[in-house]
Amino acid sequence: MRGGFSRTMDLAAFMRLLAAGWTLIRADALIPRELDEVLPPGVRTLAGFLRLFSGRQARLGRPGERLARSLEPLGPVAIKLGQVLSTRADIFGTVFATDLSRLKDALPPFPTTLARAEVERELGKPVDEIFPVFGEPVAAASLAQAHRATMADGREVAVKILRPGIERRVARDSATLLMAGGLIAALIPPARRLEPVAFAETVVRSLQLELDMRFEAAGAAELAEIMNRDGWMRAPQVIWDGVAKRVLTLEWVDGLPLSDPATLEATGLDRKAVADNLIRAFLAQALDHGVFHADLHEGNLFVVPPSGIVAVDFGIVGRLSPETRRYLAEILYGFLTRDYARVARAHFDAGYVPAHHDPDAFAQALRAVGEPVFGRAASELSMSRLLSLLFEITALFDMRLRPELVLLQKTMVTVEGVARRLWPDHDLWAAADPVVRRWIARELSPVARAKDFAEEALRALRAIARMAETGGPPAVAPEPDRTASGLTWLAAGAAIAGAAFLLAWWAG
Ligand SMILES: Nc1ncnc2c1ncn2[C@@H]1O[C@H](COP(=O)(O)OP(=O)(O)O)[C@@H](O)[C@H]1O
Ligand SMILES: [Mg+2]
């Protein structure tokens, strides 16, 4: 019985996969024609065949734009997939990643009566008792929507509520995504290096966390505390009485939304100072505290003239370990002083580049990254650009890209973009200088080294103690290797589509 049930489930997931594949084929977003000349002949033939089914929308825009457009209507899992893929400029190239990152997550709101019912059920009290004023939705996305409300004690708040039934939808589509990952791994051996199953699991996992508002509340509280310490950015207070698994209540932000172009013209706004604050806030979070708001686009930012900046939406929180922060300090310092051997050593020391590579050849490659970047005017320099060039070149040396670094780089791109739109001639390095200088001095000082050494020694001792207990060396999970060409992904997509068509043919 159970087998029969799971087979029907799988069939349903498979049908949804076919439908998703069909949507991508219609937009020529599965194996885009732009890739024809680099495809192996077999794949090219298949791509040509699939393109026979493409529709009018296939002619509009670049591949990343077409993919973004076709993922938007496919629901939260597809949107998340697009967002995660868009962080991988190292695999797909910058243009594709940027186009894909413009993917919109906006849907018509669900009715306020449903929202009220959710609040009552989750908070266990009549809405009027908690929120005497409960307004219409102010924003609606694929997972949740936000309402403005007033609490019984008069506090103005924003109430974010998950869409009714969204958990079921996500579970269903997650099964489809995991199936896609499994099929890719099974059918296309070269794609296994990309660990498509692990990749799908990552997407599913991050969605699961976003489906628990208590988790987001904790992220909001943690970041608010950190931001308060530095003073460059603020976050609304969490109203814990209004937090449950499906409901999040935050203090209402009385600022001007940065998503509104009119905000830039607001009287009394010191745009340059806001841009400075944004850059410093972000860098201090990441480099000093190792915790950062990883979704700092205009839609999540408000300004308060003259130069205050307030962030909302704590669904994605990035974290950098002390080791990673040290590594970043080493490479940035190395680049700034043009000491490429030092930058190379930082990569080998951190174990990011396998030991069998030649440090001198690696240093030469790093010089190729650094020299052109530092030959430019300061205002044209960009830290995210430096990091993305670095990622490109390190891929040649089998560098295993760490997800937290990818998230950092992606957030840097966003933050720098916002800063430049606030103040087009913004000198990012000048803005970053006080934070970066302090951090490098701290990370690279002899005291820091001594402290680190002590921590290393303690860690080694603990590991030995554990070994004595368990009678063997601790198991070390292999790092996933995330460097591979976009081609492999596309070949994977093609194979899935091909297999799907064959199966559909055979089944029907
Ligand atoms: N505390 C708040 N004060 C004012 N507006 C808010 C607040 N929280 C959210 N919003 C509004 O609701 C929108 C959606 O909330 P957000 O947390 O960004 O959800 P999503 O994860 O769907 O982007 C925000 O872009 C903002 O306009
Ligand atoms: Mg948002």
Side-chain angles (χ1 to χ4, degrees):
M1 252 353 269
R2 228 178 143 260
F5 177 68
S6 84
R7 239 197 320 274
T8 20
M9 287 294 288
D10 290 349
L11 187 62
F14 183 69
M15 295 314 284
R16 277 192 297 274
L17 186 57
L18 276 187
W22 179 246
T23 308
L24 298 191
I25 288 166
R26 294 288 293 165
D28 191 19
L30 192 60
I31 319 174
R33 56 185 176 275
E34 287 80 357
L35 279 172
D36 259 359
E37 35 200 277
V38 293
L39 292 177
V43 183
R44 198 184 316 158
T45 313
L46 173 69
F49 170 71
L50 293 181
R51 219 159 286 141
L52 295 176
F53 301 93
S54 66
R56 204 163 48 85
Q57 69 271 42
R59 268 170 269 144
L60 299 171
R62 291 186 291 264
E65 295 170 320
R66 304 202 299 269
L67 183 59
R69 267 204 318 269
S70 38
L71 289 176
E72 276 163 15
L74 289 176
V77 174
I79 289 174
K80 190 76 195 170
L81 174 68
Q83 287 168 344
V84 176
L85 289 177
S86 78
T87 62
R88 301 313 305 265
D90 56 310
I91 300 177
F92 305 107
T94 332
V95 176
F96 183 83
T98 312
D99 287 344
L100 190 53
S101 71
R102 303 232 168 85
L103 183 133
K104 277 197 262 335
D105 183 6
L107 284 184
F110 57 88
T112 301
T113 42
L114 275 182
R116 292 175 66 100
E118 284 294 334
V119 170
E120 292 202 358
R121 207 180 35 191
E122 287 288 303
L123 301 183
K125 275 190 215 161
V127 176
D128 294 326
E129 206 172 292
I130 322 169
F131 306 115
V133 184
F134 190 87
E136 293 299 310
V138 293
S142 60
L143 290 179
Q145 74 185 29
H147 293 254
R148 182 172 184 164
T150 311
M151 306 213 31
D153 60 11
R155 275 180 295 175
E156 295 285 309
V157 293
V159 187
K160 191 167 163 182
I161 304 152
L162 288 182
R163 276 185 185 274
I166 195 67
E167 291 89 346
R168 278 232 312 279
R169 171 88 201 260
V170 168
R172 208 186 69 186
D173 292 355
S174 295
T176 308
L177 182 65
L178 291 170
M179 172 180 267
L183 278 175
I184 291 172
L187 298 175
I188 311 140
R192 276 179 212 148
R193 286 186 61 214
L194 288 170
E195 305 203 41
V197 177
F199 184 84
E201 279 166 354
T202 311
V203 173
V204 169
R205 175 87 192 120
S206 67
L207 265 171
Q208 276 167 352
L209 290 178
E210 281 187 56
L211 286 181
D212 192 331
M213 288 298 173
R214 295 167 301 187
F215 193 74
E216 184 166 335
E222 185 179 5
L223 280 168
E225 203 179 302
I226 280 168
M227 288 174 192
N228 268 338
R229 257 186 265 166
D230 296 325
W232 281 305
M233 182 184 270
R234 279 200 313 111
Q237 285 289 314
V238 177
I239 314 284
W240 286 102
D241 287 343
V243 175
K245 189 161 190 295
R246 313 191 80 251
V247 176
L248 169 67
T249 306
L250 297 175
E251 166 201 354
W252 180 262
V253 175
D254 244 336
L256 307 168
L258 211 46
S259 54
D260 178 0
T263 293
L264 294 183
E265 310 306 328
T267 42
L269 188 69
D270 183 346
R271 289 164 62 166
K272 183 173 177 299
V274 176
D276 282 351
N277 282 344
L278 175 67
I279 297 283
R280 287 175 192 157
F282 164 67
L283 289 175
Q285 286 166 34
L287 304 177
D288 289 342
H289 307 287
V291 194
F292 59 97
H293 188 306
D295 203 7
L296 286 170
H297 59 76
E298 270 109 341
N300 292 334
L301 293 171
F302 295 82
V303 294
V304 181
S307 61
I309 185 158
V310 189
V312 298
D313 194 352
F314 305 87
I316 313 174
V317 174
R319 290 184 193 277
L320 295 179
S321 66
E323 295 76 31
T324 308
R325 283 182 266 159
R326 152 66 51 82
Y327 154 80
L328 284 170
E330 284 280 358
I331 60 170
L332 189 61
Y333 183 75
F335 272 118
L336 289 172
T337 55
R338 295 174 147 179
D339 185 348
Y340 299 107
R342 178 179 192 145
V343 182
R345 214 162 43 239
H347 283 82
F348 285 96
D349 287 352
Y352 290 171
V353 173
H356 66 262
H357 281 296
D358 175 9
D360 295 334
F362 187 52
Q364 182 182 339
L366 291 170
R367 186 180 292 272
V369 173
E371 291 296 305
V373 172
F374 287 100
R376 303 245 182 94
S379 60
E380 280 176 49
L381 285 182
S382 136
M383 219 179 282
S384 69
R385 173 109 189 96
L386 179 68
L387 269 187
S388 83
L389 286 170
L390 179 70
F391 289 171
E392 262 169 47
I393 214 123
T394 48
L396 291 176
F397 287 81
D398 307 320
M399 170 152 154
R400 297 143 175 178
L401 259 195
R402 316 195 51 103
E404 75 264 27
L405 280 181
V406 174
L407 189 60
L408 177 82
Q409 192 262 347
K410 184 218 153 205
T411 313
M412 264 183 193
V413 173
T414 309
V415 165
E416 288 178 0
V418 175
R420 287 242 156 91
R421 281 186 291 277
L422 273 161
W423 191 251
D425 292 326
H426 193 239
D427 182 343
L428 298 161
W429 288 100
D433 192 77
V435 181
V436 168
R437 192 183 293 275
R438 197 176 63 197
W439 157 67
I440 288 188
R442 191 179 56 234
E443 292 293 335
L444 308 185
S445 74
V447 182
R449 291 200 177 288
K451 197 165 135 256
D452 251 47
F453 177 75
E455 274 167 17
E456 286 294 329
L458 268 176
R459 217 190 333 251
L461 278 175
R462 276 193 220 110
I464 292 170
R466 257 202 313 275
M467 242 157 75
E469 273 169 28
T470 57
V476 177
E479 276 286 328
D481 183 351
R482 297 186 187 279
T483 54
S485 70
L487 205 60
T488 328
W489 272 102
L490 287 157
I496 283 205
F501 269 91
L502 283 177
L503 276 168
W505 183 276
W506 171 75

